[in-house]
Structure formats: structure tokens, C-alpha cells
Amino acid sequence: MFTRRQALLGAAAAAMLAAMPPLAAAANEAEVAALPREKVTLVAPPFVHAHEQVATSGPKVVEFTMPIVEKKVVIDDEGTEFQAMTFNGSMPGPMMVVHEGDYVELTLINLETNSMPHNIDFHAATGALGGGALTLINPGEQVKLRFKATRTGTFVYHCAPEGAMIPWHVVSGMSGTIMVLPRDGLKNEKGEPVRYDQAFYIGENDFYVPRDEDGNFKTYESHGDSYADTLEVMKGLIPTHVVFNGAKGALTGDNAMKLKVGETVLIVHSQANRDTRPHLIGGHGDYVWEEGKFANPPAKDLETWFIRGGSAGAALYTFLQPGVYAYVNHNLIEAVELGATAHFLVEGEWDDDLMKQVEAPGPIPVN
Amino acid sequence: MHLHLYEAAVGAAAALALPAAIIGISGEPRGPSLHEVRPTVAIVETVLDYPLPGEFLAGGTPAAAPVENRAVPAFHVMKQQVSLADYGLCVADGACDPADAAPTGADVPVTGVSFLDAEAYARWYSKARGQTWRLPSAVEAAAAAAERFGGESFSAAADDAANPSVRWLRRYREEAAVKRPADPEPKPRGHYGPNTRGIEDFGGNVWEWTSTCYARTTLAADGSIESVTDNCGVHVLEGRHRAYMSNFVRDGKSGGCAVGTPPENLGFRLVRDEDSMIARARNWLRGAFRSAMADTV
Ligand SMILES: [Cu+2]
């Protein structure tokens, strides 16, 4: 019979466990420990934390901290309330930037006030379901994951707990992007350096909000309350909202992105769940890494580029004309009716050579 | 997991004093919408070896669930799972949300119910009966399930602390090996028969919610518990094997199962604490028993 003296673990098992090296004790642990460390404070999209485009030093350990925040947000101009799940409080989660060969060290915190287990799957990482198998934490827990950034490009990260929870958490807002830059920076198809003046991160969200019998969007007291109805809408595969950065109008009006003629922008666009096709109305993609992977030469002069669901792409463009530019998902129904529109406000001098209204509108002449 | 059960001497004595309680069809007051009294089974005080639920870490790596020797005070448990029809009475009273279960004329257990639904039913049923009914804790479910208790089917311990994939691959193979064809159709109550305690259908295709929260426990080098983080947004279900599900989940296939095929259906049965007078007598007996045993241990 099992007695209290043998309770918990047998002595042999306990001794064996004590003798085991901790998981992180890899062969190169001393080398990693010797690397310089940098602590980065993340910023909310569409902005990107300050970073070097060309690394001025060797590899380092880059430390990030992200709390997971479950919260109710408004996702459109009709006041539709949505039970969101977020990395760092924003939809999408913040963009992280490191260089190839750096180590990403993330402290992921599941706030005590949250109701569900969460984790993180980095498409940029190798093994353990992108880190998902090593990062599943409950409310009130935190975990620290380190992975080596071995491939360059823009890569989605997202929450991936178990089963039906995975798509639900993702379409509730739990995705973001990490950009791994080549140590010597971005290059065009000829291997010549290309640089940007500013980087913006646009995360596209597809939301599936249930409606009541009258066709009005329903609101719920909690995430759990919304789950069953939301799952039914999700299974129909037709989103009720397709928006940039968590809400219709999140990147328009006061929040429109501001630039000047002659400035070069890097637009990183992610979609963690569904295909999309960004288009800059009146502009182009000078260099576009459609798949977002910098080891491949960029495509040039694109009108519209394709972002596969579950990936992030990057487009580089130098604004040549001032004005208001709409940046849309060129499924125009999704852009106009469902919300997938952002604006760039560009100031500067107009270039008549590129475009001129030769004759103002007027009556059709009669001969 | 081998389960070693024995009745405490006091439990057996108390049970002998209350033969009717073994069958458990006691004359309880009727609730307003309850047409018949649901049979219960009295579970006498039990001591059992019980694999603790949740996840365990030792030295930063996953460890096997420790087995504790636990005394479970006596309680009454429903002989059968709560039926779809009984649950429907609560829905008709406006106290429960409809279950995600296909309507049927057959006497099947309610399925497609979340932890929150089960709690709502317990509140309604308690009020209707003028008694305190609740979900069993996981250890009470183990005591009631007796030889049918599944608990943890496979070890969650790290096989190689330096290589977590060894455990993942082992678990995958173990789970694949026990995969059986899904049989989600709820069977009429009694289909899976009684266990040695006369409790029906435990370990069938309806997993049962418990009141026990999921927890992650950190073990010290000597195997003692260093810290516990409870997550009461997730509760333990017992059945053929143990499962952990978010409180609002009604569909077992949502995942969250530790091992094996995901639960086919989520349902529940309720328990009730023993009447206070009997409990007092039992406690007195237990105290006397313990002091008598203290010299011999
Ligand atoms: Cu999540």
C-alpha cells in the first residue's frame, strides 16, 4: 500500500530529476551568455521600435517583454464591441526587429486578469511548434523563450493553444510580426543596398462577429460567452470585418500615416489567417518581398502584391507625389465595406511631369 | 495508472449503519419542476492513491503527476449522469442555457454542456431540491469511479531533459496507439453499466466536469510542492482519461485533452455532501480511529 511517507515522488525519481540538467543547458550556453544584450521596448503598430537597418556590431541577445491582454475593444464606426485577445494590448501585436544571427529572448506574460491559457508560435523560429510547445502559460504565469533568428525576412507570430482555440485566438487578434534583417541591411535584385526612412507595420485582421435575429452585431459579457456563436460565424469563412490594425479607421484620419515626397517607406503587411492583396492607390511597390523573405530578390514595380494567409510581406516605396493615398486590400468590397483601408498623407511639391490635368472638366464640346 | 482503493474502517462502519444509503434512493423533497427523485449512491469515506491533476515541472522540465494518498470524506453522488430531459427542465425554468445536444426522445445523458452550464444546473437543482448539490471534485470523481477511473493515462514527464522532443514524440505514439474510432452518439443512460459502486456510465462516451481547477505545480528537488498556479478558467474533466477544458467549452473536440482521442462529449453528474448529523458522527469515529492508529504507524 502507498503510504504518506512515499507521497508525491519516489526518492529514486526525485534523485533522477535533481540530476537532470536544465532544459536550456545547451552546449553553446556559455557562448550565448557572453553575447551583449539589448533590451527593446516595443511600440504599438503601425509604428516600429527604433532599430538599425545595418547592424553595427556582432550578434546579440535582444530582450523583449510582451504581456498578453484580453480586453473588450470597439472595432468599427458603429460601436461594435469585440472581445479581443492581444499581444501587448494591440491588434496586431507589436513588430519586433532583430538581425540575422541575433537571439530573440521573449518574456511572455499571461496577465492574472486574463481568463485563458495562451502561447506564442513564431514562424521565424525553428522547432517546438515555433515555440508554442514551450510557451503555453496560464493566467498569472510567465515564460521566457529564446530562439536564434537564422532566416531573414518578415515572419508572423501568433497564439496557438490547442484545437479549436487556435483559429479563435488568432481571429480574436493574437498575431503580430517579427522582422529579421540581414546584418548588412536590405538589398535590391542587384545586391545594391536599399534603405527606408520610416517603417510602418500594418496587420490585417478578419473578425467574425455574430449577429442577433435583427441582424445587429451581438455583444458579449466575456470571451467565453462569445465563443460558441463566434465559432459558428468563423466556420462560414465570411468575415464581418476586414480591418487594418484592429479596427475600421484605425489608420485613417488623425491616425493616417504621415510622410513627405521623396521619403521611402517600408510597409510590412501581415495576415495571420487569410490571404490578402495590398495595393497603394496612386503608388506602387518599388521593391516588394511578397513572401517577406529577404534571401529572395524583391519583385519590382508591383501594382498589387499577394500576402498569403499566415505570412507577412514587405514593400518598399519612395513617394513621388504629394497627396492622400489610400492603402487597401484590393478586394474592394473588403476595403470599402468591411474596413480594410488605411491612409498615407504625403506633403511636398507636385510633379507635373509625372501627372498633369491638361484640361479641367467641362462640357463636352459640340462641333 | 493503477488505482488502489480501500474503504476506511470508519467508512465501512458508517455504511453498515446506513444500508439504505448504499442504494441511496432516499426520500428527498421534490423540487418544483422535478417529477421524480434522482437515485444517488452513497460513497463512504475512501482513501485512494490519486494522481494529481494538472501539469508538473521539476527542475524546469515536465514531470510525472505525483500520486497522493488521499482521504475522501463521504458524499452522495448521482447514480446516473444528468439526463438531457432533466437538464431541459432547468432550461424551461430559464435557469440554464440550452445544451448543444440533438433533441431526442431517448433517455440520454445531457451532452454539449460547459462547466458554466453544469454550475448553473447545480445551482438550479439545489434550489429546486432545497439541498446543496455541486459538481464533484476530481478526487471525488476518482473515488466514485473506482476501478473505472482513468486519471492520467500516460506520463507527462520529460524523457530527456535536454531534448523536449523525445517526450513529444513518445506521447504522440502513445496517443496514436490508443486511438479508437470516434463514437460520439450519446447512448441511453445505463448503456455502459454500473461500476463496482453501482455508479452507471462512468468512462463511457460522456466525460464529466469536476469542480477542480487546472493547476501548474512546480516541484522541488525532493519532490515536494514548491509552488502552484491555479487556473480556474480551465477545469478538470474525468472519464476514460483526464481532460482539461476551458470553462465555456461545450465540445470536447475543441482540444485540451491531455492524451488520447479528445472527449467525445462533455456532461456531468452532481454530488451532495453527507447530512451534517451523520458527518458529525463519522468525524467523531474517524478521530477515534486515527488516535487508535497513531500508535501503530
Ligand atoms: Cu491565445
Side-chain angles (χ1 to χ4, degrees):
Chain A
M1 185 182 308
F2 205 91
T3 71
R4 283 185 188 283
R5 290 203 189 94
Q6 290 170 280
L8 301 178
L9 281 176
M16 191 186 75
L17 281 169
M20 285 178 174
L23 189 58
N28 67 339
E29 198 60 29
E31 288 165 40
V32 176
L35 291 176
R37 301 180 80 86
E38 183 192 4
K39 194 169 272 174
V40 170
T41 303
L42 293 162
V43 299
F47 303 104
V48 181
H49 66 80
H51 59 271
E52 292 178 340
Q53 292 185 46
V54 175
T56 53
S57 64
K60 51 194 170 186
V61 179
V62 187
E63 300 173 22
F64 299 94
T65 299
M66 279 209 296
I68 290 161
V69 188
E70 298 173 6
K71 61 180 183 182
K72 193 187 257 190
V73 298
V74 172
I75 55 166
D76 60 24
D77 44 6
E78 297 162 46
T80 303
E81 289 182 329
F82 180 72
Q83 292 287 355
M85 307 178 204
T86 70
F87 286 108
N88 216 42
S90 65
M91 292 191 288
M95 188 158 102
M96 309 155 115
V97 184
V98 299
H99 285 91
E100 183 180 9
D102 285 348
Y103 291 85
V104 176
E105 191 174 280
L106 171 70
T107 302
L108 187 67
I109 303 168
N110 191 342
L111 297 182
E112 188 119 39
T113 46
N114 290 341
S115 62
M116 281 167 283
H118 300 281
N119 66 356
I120 192 163
D121 165 358
F122 280 102
H123 290 187
T126 305
L129 309 175
L134 297 174
T135 53
L136 190 66
I137 46 172
N138 298 300
E141 290 183 326
Q142 70 171 49
V143 66
K144 199 183 278 190
L145 178 77
R146 188 186 71 208
F147 72 88
K148 190 173 189 176
T150 55
R151 292 159 205 269
T152 60
T154 49
F155 295 85
V156 158
Y157 64 79
H158 63 91
C159 186
E162 294 175 305
M165 294 293 136
I166 300 173
W168 183 48
H169 283 220
V170 171
V171 301
S172 296
M174 293 194 82
S175 70
T177 292
I178 183 167
M179 178 162 74
V180 182
L181 288 167
R183 293 209 82 79
D184 53 354
L186 297 178
K187 288 179 272 308
N188 67 13
E189 81 289 356
K190 294 180 199 136
E192 299 159 347
V194 292
R195 299 288 173 261
Y196 45 87
D197 296 301
Q198 193 161 354
F200 285 113
Y201 171 37
I202 297 176
E204 186 171 323
N205 305 103
D206 45 327
F207 295 137
Y208 302 80
V209 184
R211 296 176 194 268
D212 64 19
E213 309 79 59
D214 301 325
N216 300 314
F217 290 124
K218 289 173 78 170
T219 56
Y220 296 89
E221 281 302 300
S222 68
H223 290 79
D225 286 343
S226 74
Y227 171 68
D229 290 353
T230 303
L231 199 61
E232 286 311 305
V233 183
M234 284 164 56
K235 287 195 269 190
L237 295 174
I238 300 175
T240 55
H241 298 72
V242 178
V243 303
F244 295 151
N245 290 29
K248 190 174 184 179
L251 299 176
T252 62
D254 288 346
N255 300 319
M257 295 166 281
K258 293 156 190 84
L259 287 157
K260 291 191 174 62
V261 169
E263 283 187 324
T264 300
V265 63
L266 182 74
I267 307 168
V268 176
H269 192 115
S270 71
Q271 225 302 6
N273 191 60
R274 190 172 176 272
D275 300 339
T276 184
R277 53 210 69 70
H279 172 87
L280 179 66
I281 301 178
H284 301 92
D286 290 339
Y287 296 106
V288 181
W289 293 268
E290 232 185 15
E291 311 95 331
K293 306 306 167 275
F294 301 135
N296 307 311
K300 295 202 305 186
D301 300 332
L302 296 196
E303 58 176 316
T304 296
W305 41 103
F306 184 68
I307 305 296
R308 298 141 180 81
S311 77
L316 192 109
Y317 182 61
T318 304
F319 281 97
L320 303 176
Q321 292 280 42
V324 178
Y325 289 77
Y327 175 88
V328 298
N329 168 344
H330 211 287
N331 176 324
L332 296 169
I333 303 161
E334 296 182 356
V336 176
E337 298 297 331
L338 302 190
T341 299
H343 292 155
F344 285 96
L345 306 184
V346 182
E347 291 182 358
E349 296 301 314
W350 181 262
D351 183 350
D352 272 345
D353 185 43
L354 283 172
M355 186 182 283
K356 183 183 170 66
Q357 188 179 54
V358 179
E359 192 178 294
I364 301 166
V366 184
N367 289 341
Chain B
M1 179 82 242
H2 261 282
L3 187 72
H4 188 95
L5 286 171
Y6 74 88
E7 316 278 31
V10 285
L16 283 171
L18 284 169
I22 296 290
I23 314 296
I25 307 177
S26 42
E28 282 152 343
R30 282 179 188 207
S33 344
L34 296 169
H35 304 301
E36 49 184 300
V37 172
R38 303 293 160 232
T40 61
V41 174
I43 304 297
V44 294
E45 175 168 320
T46 306
V47 178
L48 52 84
D49 290 344
Y50 168 71
L52 297 179
E55 283 181 77
F56 298 84
L57 291 174
T61 61
V67 176
E68 263 192 4
N69 189 241
R70 285 275 193 99
V72 187
F75 62 96
H76 295 266
V77 59
M78 289 178 171
K79 182 183 163 82
Q80 295 186 312
Q81 292 164 338
V82 170
S83 72
L84 184 58
D86 278 355
Y87 186 84
L89 297 175
C90 179
V91 176
D93 245 14
C96 291
D97 288 332
D100 288 344
T104 169
D107 178 30
V108 294
V110 66
T111 55
V113 282
S114 67
F115 172 80
L116 300 171
D117 295 328
E119 290 259 282
Y121 182 86
R123 280 194 295 275
W124 170 83
Y125 190 75
S126 297
K127 204 171 161 196
R129 300 294 292 272
Q131 295 171 328
T132 304
W133 288 84
R134 55 179 176 80
L135 287 173
S137 65
V139 71
E140 285 172 334
E147 78 282 2
R148 290 205 191 168
F149 180 61
E152 304 285 358
S153 304
F154 304 113
S155 171
D159 301 289
D160 178 349
N163 183 352
S165 71
V166 177
R167 175 176 72 103
W168 299 330
L169 294 168
R170 176 201 23 104
R171 293 276 296 236
Y172 187 90
R173 289 191 193 101
E174 287 171 351
E175 289 167 27
V178 299
K179 271 245 190 313
R180 53 179 198 283
D183 181 21
E185 186 77 29
K187 304 287 183 284
R189 292 198 298 169
H191 173 85
Y192 294 98
N195 67 0
T196 51
R197 293 176 175 247
I199 294 165
E200 294 185 354
D201 298 335
F202 192 90
N205 70 359
V206 180
W207 270 247
E208 302 185 15
W209 285 104
T210 75
S211 62
T212 299
C213 298
Y214 168 89
R216 182 174 348 244
T217 304
T218 305
L219 302 173
D222 66 353
S224 64
I225 289 171
E226 199 168 274
S227 71
V228 181
T229 310
D230 271 330
N231 175 15
C232 290
V234 173
H235 276 83
V236 177
L237 290 112
E238 298 288 4
R240 273 178 216 159
H241 60 263
R242 191 173 265 161
Y244 307 101
M245 295 270 170
S246 284
N247 294 355
F248 51 84
V249 167
R250 289 174 159 171
D251 177 4
K253 289 180 287 297
S254 295
C257 191
V259 288
T261 313
E264 279 145 343
N265 295 292
L266 310 185
F268 63 100
R269 74 181 84 215
L270 298 179
V271 300
R272 179 166 69 79
D273 291 319
E274 201 168 9
D275 297 324
S276 59
M277 203 187 73
I278 298 167
R280 271 201 302 277
R282 193 188 298 276
N283 280 340
W284 181 86
L285 272 169
R286 184 165 50 221
F289 175 75
R290 287 230 172 102
S291 50
M293 291 298 285
D295 301 329
T296 67
V297 176

